[in-house]
Amino acid sequence: MPSRCTSRTSGGSYTVALFNLGDAPAAVTADWPALGFTGRAMVRDLWNRENLGTYHNKITQALPAHGSRLFTVTPQGPVQPETAYEAEAAGNTLSGNASVADCGSCSGGKKVGNLYLGGKLTMNGIHADKAGRYVVDIAYVSGDARAVLISVGDGGFTSHKLPSTGDWGTVETVSVPLSLKAGANTVTFDSGDGYAPDIDLIRVPDPS
């Protein structure tokens, strides 16, 4: 049985405790709207003294039976309009072992997986109204921490190690800075010579 407890600090952050009161492992979620805000928030694991990065609208953790976690959640200002691009969209390009798979917790019920040993997902038609550096949200699934190589267009690849989402049925979001040109862009996720996370979607901010 999942449960959570929250309190508001004087500095505007939230202290969030997640509990699994059941006798079996379970995924437990804290939704930002339930706390009174939406958009991005920085999350810090208080017990492990570790910054977990930026999460979009929620955080989900896989907890053992009778387990718990304690976080500080700090909102990052008003939500910015974004455009979502699905990994499984028909216009994207899959290479190597990459394939579309069912995913009950993913947007649209699908994801792109089997990104290993050279498997690639190239997302085409990622639009930017103007050239610049964008903080792009990546929704992904990964039962363990895995690295993925990300590139835009013909630019070089940058390796990003994404933390485990707890299991292969839970979606989490990380934020990655990408330099986009005005107009249509391609964003490629490459497993290289290893194993990469499954990709659900990306969200690109709309410039104000």
Side-chain angles (χ1 to χ4, degrees):
M1 177 185 300
S3 179
R4 65 173 175 80
C5 179
T6 63
S7 64
R8 186 83 182 267
T9 71
S10 60
S13 297
Y14 297 81
T15 300
V16 179
L18 300 181
F19 302 94
N20 176 15
L21 305 179
D23 295 326
V28 185
T29 297
D31 293 297
W32 299 170
L35 303 180
F37 70 95
T38 60
R40 295 186 179 91
M42 292 292 296
V43 178
R44 180 173 176 80
D45 186 322
L46 292 178
W47 288 342
N48 293 323
R49 299 181 181 179
E50 178 184 8
N51 292 324
L52 301 183
T54 303
Y55 287 75
H56 188 274
N57 278 344
K58 67 178 181 178
I59 183 171
T60 300
Q61 294 288 298
L63 300 183
H66 307 292
S68 59
R69 298 285 296 276
L70 186 65
F71 306 99
T72 296
V73 176
T74 306
Q76 298 297 292
V79 66
Q80 183 176 6
E82 297 173 313
T83 300
Y85 298 89
E86 299 283 351
E88 73 275 10
N92 293 338
T93 305
L94 306 182
S95 305
N97 297 299
S99 60
V100 176
D102 292 333
C103 174
S105 60
C106 293
S107 172
K110 302 285 185 180
K111 65 180 179 179
V112 171
N114 288 327
L115 294 170
Y116 66 93
L117 302 179
K120 295 181 185 179
L121 160 66
T122 298
M123 300 182 69
N124 301 308
I126 308 303
H127 183 79
D129 286 341
K130 58 184 179 182
R133 197 150 176 86
Y134 292 74
V135 178
V136 175
D137 289 338
I138 301 171
Y140 70 100
V141 180
S142 190
D144 48 41
R146 293 188 174 188
V148 61
L149 301 168
I150 303 176
S151 71
V152 177
D154 296 326
F157 285 93
T158 301
S159 180
H160 297 271
K161 188 168 185 178
L162 307 188
S164 169
T165 62
D167 55 50
W168 289 99
T170 299
V171 180
E172 296 288 3
T173 302
V174 296
S175 298
V176 173
L178 297 178
S179 294
L180 303 178
K181 68 180 182 180
N185 294 264
T186 61
V187 176
T188 298
F189 297 86
D190 189 342
S191 61
D193 58 1
Y195 290 75
D198 298 345
I199 306 299
D200 177 16
L201 58 77
I202 65 174
R203 299 185 190 91
V204 179
D206 299 327
S208 55

